[in-house]
Amino acid sequence: MVRRLLIVVSAVLMLLGLIVLTWGFRDLPIDERPEWMVVQMVVWPVAALGLVELFRLRRYARQGFRIQADRWRLAVHGIPALAVVVLPSGSFTQWFGPGSIWALLDFPTAKVMAAFWLAATLWASWEVTL
């Protein structure tokens, strides 16, 4: 139970971290992102971090260990990170208002950081068991 609570708290802290780090960019105009940028923000961190993790997991599998996904972490961390990355710019501003701290999640900096968050979540959510 404590482990699950820590995963939820860390997901909330990731969202707050995205907001705090993009605070300095709040007065810049939000430009529309081309679709290729959205794809790259997701693919590059997943691929880069995945290569490292893939080799590690493959080595464990060859040694006879069982590999399973931590679905709770994938849901609690993966879904918010994916939402920040793929939602069009301006979505959070429309939902929560331009004066809300949540509107900062529309900035490109938050979207790039969320892509790395998603990548780390995807690759750190695999557990090795006997």
Side-chain angles (χ1 to χ4, degrees), residues 48-130:
L49 295 173
L51 283 175
V52 174
E53 288 297 313
L54 188 64
F55 287 113
R56 183 181 68 86
L57 294 173
R58 198 174 101 205
R59 186 182 72 228
Y60 282 131
R62 284 185 177 176
Q63 293 175 353
F65 290 97
R66 205 174 94 193
I67 311 234
Q68 62 188 43
D70 182 352
R71 291 185 192 111
W72 176 251
R73 182 184 293 183
L74 283 170
V76 172
H77 275 271
I79 292 171
L82 183 64
V84 171
V85 171
V86 300
L87 286 172
S89 290
S91 295
F92 290 100
T93 303
Q94 279 183 323
W95 294 338
F96 301 106
S100 167
I101 62 169
W102 297 103
L104 293 171
L105 295 174
D106 285 329
F107 288 97
T109 305
K111 294 194 176 290
V112 170
M113 290 172 54
F116 281 104
W117 178 23
L118 177 62
T121 298
L122 288 175
W123 291 111
S125 295
W126 295 96
E127 295 179 347
V128 179
T129 59
L130 286 175

